[in-house]
Amino acid sequence: PDTVSFSRRIIATPVAGLVPSPIIVEKTTTVIQRLERYFVAEEKESKYHPSLSPSAIAQFISCPLKFYFSYVAGLKEKEEKEEVMESAVLGNVLHKAMEILYTGKKSLVKTDFPELHKKVVAAVDEAIADCFANPEDLEGKNLLIRNVLQELTRRVLQLDEKDAPLEIVQLEKWENYRFALDEQRSVILGGFIDRVDRLADGLRVIDYKTGKVYFKGVKNPEDVFTDTSHKEQFQATLYAYLISKRFQGEPVKVGLITLREMSEGIKYLDKGVPATPQSLQVFESGLRGLLSNLFNPDIPFHQTEDLSQCTYCSFKDVCGR
């Protein structure tokens, strides 16, 4: 013990911090050909023609590379069988339940709602059967979610009862519009709009949302085409634009009903003030510039600089983020 001594050392190899190389996809001839599928000639236009939806365009704003993966390269997230009704399925069930309750209704007055409330349980069960599974086979957490869906449906009815009388214009309908990029090129803007009704002050577009909605003030109208935090404002304005093209001359406003914030009521774009022809003209000009960049062969697809967009992205492993 007096002549032998021991020492302990921890030896480690330093790990170099690796920064993934940025991914840039140039618009090669092949990429351009795939993008050109969206161009539509008059003689070829049909409801089956590839269209650009509000969510697709919003994705291009948030991350051009993700748009490329999803809508150009055609990459899909791996599908797994769901055993519990998650938010997407929950939203589909609510959409379907409201469609079932309101189908065949041309107008709604306050005296119609007591009878509609009685049909909620049957409507939700029919919607669950259509979107997920036989209601009689539900167990565990799914039974609790079924009860939640019934309550959410009742709350939507309560919101509409406050605004009655109202006229149901359309339910879960595909809306599309030929949009000219320039004199030679046009694309189809299209997507399903949950509901359009008519109130005393004009048309109202209703959009059901499963996630949290942020309506921030927009200082500059051009910000909705560049700032990812204005996603909801962009999509809502595009809904108003599409409906204004079908019902020209009628004022249009957009309201969002969020499942997570039902107690806050309907959230309106621009505080419920209908879009004006001037504001829609400004939006149309900005949209044309945005889509021109999408199809510009000299502007490649690149990753977003807003890393918060990567948190729940299906392709974040591809990017190494």
Side-chain angles (χ1 to χ4, degrees):
D2 296 332
T3 57
V4 180
S5 61
F6 295 90
S7 62
R8 178 175 295 179
R9 299 285 187 272
I10 297 178
I11 301 175
T13 302
V15 179
L18 300 178
V19 178
S21 300
I23 300 176
I24 298 175
V25 177
E26 299 290 344
K27 290 176 180 172
T28 62
T29 302
T30 301
V31 172
I32 290 295
Q33 287 175 347
R34 295 190 66 83
L35 283 172
E36 288 178 345
R37 294 178 306 156
Y38 289 103
F39 294 156
V40 56
E42 179 131 11
E43 65 274 10
K44 294 183 179 179
E45 183 178 352
S46 76
K47 65 179 180 179
Y48 302 108
H49 192 280
S51 60
L52 292 169
S53 67
S55 58
I57 302 173
Q59 191 171 108
F60 176 68
I61 295 172
S62 64
C63 180
L65 184 65
K66 185 176 181 180
F67 176 92
Y68 167 78
F69 285 150
S70 299
Y71 295 97
V72 182
L75 302 183
K76 302 295 183 183
E77 186 178 4
K78 182 180 178 181
E79 295 185 3
E80 297 181 358
K81 180 176 175 57
E82 296 187 36
E83 297 181 356
V84 177
M85 284 185 280
E86 301 296 348
S87 60
V89 177
L90 190 144
N92 291 339
V93 172
L94 179 68
H95 287 196
K96 188 64 180 180
M98 293 308 304
E99 182 184 4
I100 292 168
L101 287 170
Y102 283 170
T103 293
K105 302 288 185 182
K106 297 297 183 182
S107 61
L108 293 171
V109 295
K110 293 187 183 296
T111 54
D112 291 323
F113 286 89
E115 187 64 26
L116 287 170
H117 278 282
K118 295 178 183 178
K119 298 178 179 179
V120 166
V121 173
V124 169
D125 281 352
E126 183 178 343
I128 290 174
D130 185 76
C131 302
F132 185 67
N134 188 333
E136 296 180 359
D137 296 333
L138 298 181
E139 56 185 24
K141 186 177 179 180
N142 284 326
L143 284 175
L144 298 177
I145 295 176
R146 177 193 181 209
N147 294 336
V148 171
L149 281 163
Q150 292 173 6
E151 179 59 25
L152 290 175
T153 305
R154 292 188 183 97
R155 291 191 182 185
V156 175
L157 290 177
Q158 290 168 1
L159 292 174
D160 287 338
E161 187 174 0
K162 291 179 181 179
D163 293 324
L166 57 88
E167 175 190 348
I168 302 295
V169 177
Q170 62 185 50
L171 295 168
E172 300 290 342
K173 183 179 178 182
W174 176 263
E175 199 69 43
N176 63 73
Y177 173 70
R178 176 194 288 270
F179 186 84
L181 297 177
D182 49 42
E183 294 182 356
Q184 289 78 35
R185 303 176 302 170
S186 295
V187 295
I188 300 297
L189 304 178
F192 280 98
I193 293 182
D194 297 339
R195 191 211 314 172
V196 178
D197 50 40
R198 183 178 282 111
L199 303 176
D201 59 349
L203 293 169
R204 178 179 67 172
V205 178
I206 290 293
D207 186 30
Y208 303 112
K209 293 290 188 182
T210 56
K212 192 173 180 63
V213 171
Y214 299 94
F215 265 168
K216 296 173 58 179
V218 180
K219 296 181 180 179
N220 188 330
E222 295 179 357
D223 290 346
V224 298
F225 301 104
T226 57
D227 191 337
T228 57
S229 65
H230 294 314
K231 175 182 176 181
E232 282 81 10
Q233 283 94 327
F234 169 79
Q235 289 184 287
T237 307
L238 184 49
Y239 289 140
Y241 177 79
L242 290 173
I243 291 300
S244 72
K245 291 300 182 181
R246 178 176 291 276
F247 301 92
Q248 294 192 17
E250 289 198 61
V252 182
K253 61 183 178 181
V254 182
L256 276 62
I257 297 179
T258 58
L259 276 60
R260 296 184 181 183
E261 301 166 313
M262 294 288 284
S263 61
E264 298 184 15
I266 300 176
K267 293 187 176 183
Y268 284 103
L269 177 68
D270 296 329
K271 299 180 180 180
V273 177
T276 64
Q278 293 77 17
S279 66
L280 291 176
Q281 184 64 42
V282 171
F283 178 81
E284 180 181 279
S285 178
L287 181 60
R288 183 169 289 110
L290 176 72
L291 295 182
S292 294
N293 288 340
L294 167 60
F295 293 104
N296 188 331
D298 297 324
I299 301 178
F301 293 106
H302 58 82
Q303 294 163 298
T304 180
E305 296 179 359
D306 181 5
L307 296 184
S308 67
Q309 300 295 317
C310 306
T311 305
Y312 301 106
C313 178
S314 305
F315 307 109
K316 65 179 182 179
D317 290 339
V318 177
C319 296
R321 289 183 165 180

